[in-house]
């Protein structure tokens, strides 16, 4: 038997049992729209690629990381003793940041293409949940090295839920595993980071991707108003996939450059008794909500300023999440335009409050 026939018969054997040719036929029929804004279609795929990098490097880190009292020492060994440990750790941290960046770009491009409108509401809602989980991935992972910076930034971050009346302090205590950030917090964050979050994230991601397969890519409103005969499409296999893979390769190159030229650092071991070092600030993706809450708290009068700020902020987030329900179709008219301006205001607010946050670090 020649090698070709071995391959063919192996394929036929698997195909008979798993129906691979049906999948291949489905993939052959899938198309992707081509227009002036098609570039934005790559960002969901880039987020996916960086998530895969996260899983791969995360599993490698898991081989040597020890949560609890030895957390700092194990990260010190990974960074300075293990062969290429520094590179894996650096790639993991950089890809977490790049992934969050890609998700934000993806979210805003989906927003401005109005891809949340009927029938894609669940795509939007599952995406928002993925973004929420991705930020918790970031927050829980940040503490794991237990160096000075991660310790104090987590301490400050966990003070935010305390402002929620009644249940706030209980939630904060539960997350910390006591009144202070300690090795118990590391243990909890570790369980969250490697068990709870992946168990929630993976099925949700599967659902999100299934929806994309089911409904295909939305086109922006201007393209939608053209007659079907004037719209262009390319087959997903192999044309779009080839471009998608090229974007993955570019992302991998950027990641490799960042991770090796700017290796992720490890500060001094956290010491609860020492004063907080200067310039403690949240990660960039938390800077905007952190700054908004601070500004609202200062601006609203009285001791309830903080709570009122939290309520106002939550209202803004709720309006954002629920956008598919008030800008639901092309016929939404004025509401559709208002939603567009809401998106512009959100981008400006996000960038401005992040800039102010960094500007005022002391
Ligand atoms: C880890 C996080 C995420 C991953 C891996 C991911 C992945 C993807 C992929 C691969 C696509 C298809 C290609 C594309 O249109 O870009 C897509 C589409 C979509 N995503 Fe996401 N996504 C994520 C987060 C989000 C977020 C935060 C939102 C918004 C809140 C969102 C909303 C959508 C919607 C509505 C579509 C359909 C777009 C269309 O029909 O053109 N996704 N996602």
């Amino acid at each position: 038997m020649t090698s070709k026939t071995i391959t063919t018969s192996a394929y036929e054997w698997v195909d008979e049992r798993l129906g691979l040719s049906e999948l291949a036929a489905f993939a052959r029929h899938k198309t992707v729209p081509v227009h002036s804004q098609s570039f934005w279609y790559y960002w969901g795929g880039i987020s996916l690629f960086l998530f895969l990098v996260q899983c791969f490097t995360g599993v490698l880190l898991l081989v040597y990381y020890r949560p609890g009292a030895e957390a700092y020492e194990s990260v010190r060994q990974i960074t300075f003793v293990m062969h290429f440990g520094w590179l894996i750790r650096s790639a993991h941290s950089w890809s977490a940041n790049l992934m969050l960046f890609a998700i934000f770009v993806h979210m805003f491009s989906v927003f401005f293409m109005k891809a949340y409108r009927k029938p894609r509401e669940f795509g939007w809602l599952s995406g928002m949940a993925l973004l929420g989980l991705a930020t918790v991935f970031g927050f829980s992972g940040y503490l794991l090295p237990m160096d000075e910076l991660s310790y104090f930034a987590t301490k400050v971050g966990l003070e935010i839920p305390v402002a929620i009346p009644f249940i706030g302090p209980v939630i904060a205590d539960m997350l910390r595993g006591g009144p202070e950030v300690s090795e118990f917090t590391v243990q909890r964050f570790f369980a969250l980071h490697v068990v709870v979050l992946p168990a929630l994230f993976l099925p949700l991601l599967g659902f999100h991707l299934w929806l994309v397969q089911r409904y295909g890519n939305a086109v922006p409103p201007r393209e939608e108003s053209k007659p079907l005969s004037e719209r262009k499409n390319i087959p997903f296999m192999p044309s779009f996939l080839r471009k998608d893979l090229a974007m993955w390769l570019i992302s991998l190159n950027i990641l490799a450059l960042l991770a090796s030229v700017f290796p992720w650092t490890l500060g001094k071991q956290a010491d609860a008794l020492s004063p907080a070092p200067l310039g403690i600030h949240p990660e960039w993706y938390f800077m905007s909500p952190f700054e908004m809450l601070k500004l609202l708290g200062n601006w609203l009068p009285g001791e309830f300023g903080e709570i009122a700020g939290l309520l106002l902020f939550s209202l803004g987030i709720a309006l954002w999440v629920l956008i598919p329900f008030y800008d639901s179709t092309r016929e939404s008219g004025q509401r559709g335009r208002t939603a567009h301006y809401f998106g512009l205001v959100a981008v400006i607010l996000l960038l401005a409050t992040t800039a102010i946050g960094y500007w005022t670090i002391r």
Side-chain angles (χ1 to χ4, degrees), residues 30 40-49 51 99 103-104 106-111 113 115-117 120-132 134 201 205 208-209 211-213 215-219 240 244 320:
K30 185 178 157 61
W40 303 108
Y41 288 142
Y42 296 115
W43 289 86
I46 296 174
S47 313
L48 179 63
F49 169 68
F51 177 68
M99 177 177 116
I103 296 178
F104 275 112
H106 174 52
M107 178 180 74
F108 281 112
S109 56
V110 159
F111 182 92
M113 278 206 211
Y116 50 77
R117 282 177 174 174
R120 295 183 174 78
E121 294 92 334
F122 279 117
W124 175 258
L125 294 177
S126 57
M128 283 311 303
L130 286 171
L131 171 61
F201 197 91
L205 181 58
H208 191 75
L209 298 179
L211 287 172
V212 177
Q213 296 317 308
Y215 294 112
N217 285 96
V219 289
F240 189 77
D244 236 354
W320 183 256

Side-chain angles (χ1 to χ4, degrees), residues 263-276:
W264 211 255
T265 52
L266 180 68
K268 276 195 278 176
Q269 183 159 13
D271 177 2
L273 299 176
S274 69

Side-chain angles (χ1 to χ4, degrees), residues 244-258:
D244 236 354
L245 292 177
M247 292 305 266
W248 287 26
L249 203 59
I250 293 173
S251 313
L252 183 64
N253 276 287
I254 294 175
L255 173 64
L257 265 175
L258 288 171

Side-chain angles (χ1 to χ4, degrees), residues 167-244:
I167 50 166
V170 183
I171 296 178
D173 271 3
M174 235 166 66
L175 286 170
R176 280 188 298 246
E180 288 298 332
V181 172
S182 67
E183 63 195 74
F184 298 113
T185 325
V186 177
Q187 190 70 44
R188 276 163 200 230
F189 276 35
F190 178 68
L192 204 63
H193 197 75
V194 305
V195 180
V196 181
L197 290 173
L200 296 174
F201 197 91
L202 287 171
L204 205 59
L205 181 58
F207 177 60
H208 191 75
L209 298 179
W210 173 74
L211 287 172
V212 177
Q213 296 317 308
R214 186 172 162 85
Y215 294 112
N217 285 96
V219 289
R222 204 184 314 147
E223 193 69 14
E224 212 177 21
S225 53
K226 286 187 188 165
L228 276 178
S229 55
E230 281 178 31
R231 293 202 219 158
K232 274 195 257 152
N233 285 291
I234 51 166
F236 180 79
M237 288 273 238
S239 314
F240 189 77
L241 184 66
R242 212 182 282 154
K243 292 176 190 226
D244 236 354

